[in-house]
Amino acid sequence: MALRHAVLAVLLDGEYSGYQLTKIFDVSCSNFWYAVPQQLYAELTKLERAGLITGRQVIQHDRPNKRLFTVTPAGLAELAAFAAVPSKPSSIREDLLVMVQAVDRLDPAPVIAQLEERAVIAAAKVELFDRMLRQLRGDLTEEAFLRESDRIGPYLTCLRGRGFEQENREWCERVAALLRARAPVPG
Amino acid sequence: MALRHAVLAVLLDGEYSGYQLTKIFDVSCSNFWYAVPQQLYAELTKLERAGLITGRQVIQHDRPNKRLFTVTPAGLAELAAFAAVPSKPSSIREDLLVMVQAVDRLDPAPVIAQLEERAVIAAAKVELFDRMLRQLRGDLTEEAFLRESDRIGPYLTCLRGRGFEQENREWCERVAALLRARAPVPG
DNA sequence: GAACCATACTCAATGATATGACTATTCCTG
DNA sequence: CAGGAATAGTCATATCATTGAGTATGGTTC
């Protein structure tokens, strides 16, 4: 029941179409939730039927028409209710960690390769988050922005995403180097 | 298809019953996967039918009988195949982050309360992981253990779990303090 | 000796998520 | 003008995960 609230939280920033949402859930929102387009469109339909968002048709001549959605007061109330009930912590759920858990009994080469590749991906995400953070705070310092802005939620979740990826990167690099040192692999 | 591999990876450490697995997935394994008992029992049944593990009945007189499972050569091959195909990175999926994303438009009090509670939980997990790490490496230093031991997989995943929770804790504390400073809440 | 907890495991139902294939339109490139 | 990318969205299905309730045994505690 939480994709619903993730969609509502993102729609607080303004009107978006389903297609735009898929883009947001691919990048900026990916620091706290991910969903494929089909899920998002389905969720938007449900949310509208429940009266938590409203859509309005926008006729476009240069490309297919679209529908833009906004959160209704009922939707905001739903979010408030969601925020009021204690949430359960979620843990990491990562295939790569399963492989590392078993690495002593397997050929380490493919695991090392994946760790190194993942470190690069994580580093790229850190940079992406850094760019997003800079853009969000404009020319204010982080401290000033967090004190004065009236829209810090996205910045804060972005900070968490950055921290996660940074930690991820460091761990991947360390483990890859370590496994490489233990069992030197050609190539 | 990854719970299957998580179970196989844990069973590499020795014979376990379904019940014991539920305990392991509650604590030590929770740094990279989580599952409820029903999932685990169902998965064990499937794995046995697929010939990837074998079970043997153990008659007990002081408590209900149990079945202990071990990974077969086919199971090890399945794990090797799993480790050979590139895995997709998974992102955070956390209700609490959804709330923070929306916090500018909500009453911050319950969100702050949850952040502070979560920081305490994360700190407790860090300590738990520290104890597990100490136990795994015995009286060796971390460096020596990682160089010499022939079973470092669980240690490495535990390190990742620790890093995640530490990062989580720092973020929760920082965000809670920040939100408190912005909108002083009584109580 | 009644209540409760730990061990050991199962069934059923629902909800969430992932995968793949599909329909349209328009713009840009070669 | 053919092909591909970007926009905008839909349908169907299969698997995964979560929730809740149950069964059964034996040990411990009040």
Side-chain angles (χ1 to χ4, degrees), chain B residues 72-102:
Chain B
T72 63
L76 195 56
E78 168 76 21
L79 261 180
F82 168 69
V85 299
S87 60
K88 271 174 289 184
S90 74
S91 60
I92 306 180
R93 201 166 259 206
E94 180 79 66
D95 284 358
L96 188 49
L97 283 175
V98 176
M99 297 173 193
V100 170
Q101 172 85 12

Side-chain angles (χ1 to χ4, degrees), chain A residues 48 53-57 67-70:
Chain A
E48 194 179 20
I53 59 174
T54 46
R56 68 182 181 90
Q57 179 103 21
R67 304 191 61 214
L68 296 180
F69 297 94
T70 3

